[in-house]
Amino acid sequence: MCLLAFALPTLSLAQKGQTSKVETINWITMEEAEAKMKKEPRKVFIDVYTDWCGWCKKMDKATFSDPEVAAYVNKNFYAVKLDAEGKDPITVRGHTYTFKPEYKSHELALALLNGQMSYPTTVYLDEQMNMLSPVPGYLDKANFMKIIRYFGDNHHKTTTWQEYDKKN
């Protein structure tokens, strides 16, 4: 009887541990996003960062690690992390982008940020990988969720950002 009393609490703790797994963002590469879009079109959210950027690290820790953020991003977007100073070539839509030493930046980051190299910048693409908007700067959870819902819920198709921002 003592053994059973000991086993039951242990079993219930083990079950709780299994169900409390926190959702995290499923980060993939640009190539993976492009391949997945052929089967299941979605918008793409790109986190353009650098290894030395303190605000990028803060956004990873404070915003992107939030379970509500992760759940929304995973349901509505393909999420891509792009190191703006990465050296590996990236092929998207038949074009191969490479690191440009003269700019100390990756050509894809230069294209996505329109040459305005600011980190972090979140970039939003539609289901055909057309640019919706780059959004430079650190975003806390509340501001990030407002912006990503603006694009994710298609408010950008019927409402200006200024109108949406006032209402939400």
Side-chain angles (χ1 to χ4, degrees), residues 6 37 46 49 66-68 87 95 98 102 122 131 139 151 157 159:
F6 177 77
M37 289 177 79
I46 306 165
Y49 73 97
D66 184 278
E68 182 186 356
K87 304 290 191 279
H95 180 80
T98 59
E102 62 271 27
T122 51
M131 176 68 72
L139 298 168
F151 295 114
K157 293 182 177 182
T159 309

Side-chain angles (χ1 to χ4, degrees), residues 25 27 47 49-50 53-66 81 120 138-139:
I25 293 177
W27 297 105
D47 172 34
Y49 73 97
T50 63
C53 168
W55 287 109
C56 301
K57 291 173 186 172
K58 181 174 173 67
M59 201 159 163
D60 280 341
K61 199 178 266 187
T63 306
F64 297 147
S65 65
D66 184 278
K81 271 207 169 288
Y138 169 81
L139 298 168

Side-chain angles (χ1 to χ4, degrees), residues 128-140:
Q128 290 76 44
M129 294 189 97
N130 296 314
M131 176 68 72
L132 292 172
S133 182
V135 178
Y138 169 81
L139 298 168
D140 62 16

Side-chain angles (χ1 to χ4, degrees), residues 19-85:
T19 58
S20 66
K21 185 175 184 254
V22 176
E23 186 165 5
T24 58
I25 293 177
N26 298 322
W27 297 105
I28 60 176
T29 66
M30 283 296 290
E31 291 97 340
E32 289 169 329
E34 184 176 34
K36 286 178 175 266
M37 289 177 79
K38 291 175 182 167
K39 294 177 185 167
E40 185 185 342
R42 285 190 197 176
K43 291 177 185 71
V44 178
F45 151 69
I46 306 165
D47 172 34
V48 183
Y49 73 97
T50 63
D51 288 338
W52 51 262
C53 168
W55 287 109
C56 301
K57 291 173 186 172
K58 181 174 173 67
M59 201 159 163
D60 280 341
K61 199 178 266 187
T63 306
F64 297 147
S65 65
D66 184 278
E68 182 186 356
V69 168
Y72 185 84
V73 168
N74 291 339
K75 181 180 178 192
N76 298 286
F77 289 81
Y78 292 120
V80 173
K81 271 207 169 288
L82 177 65
D83 180 354
E85 297 175 344

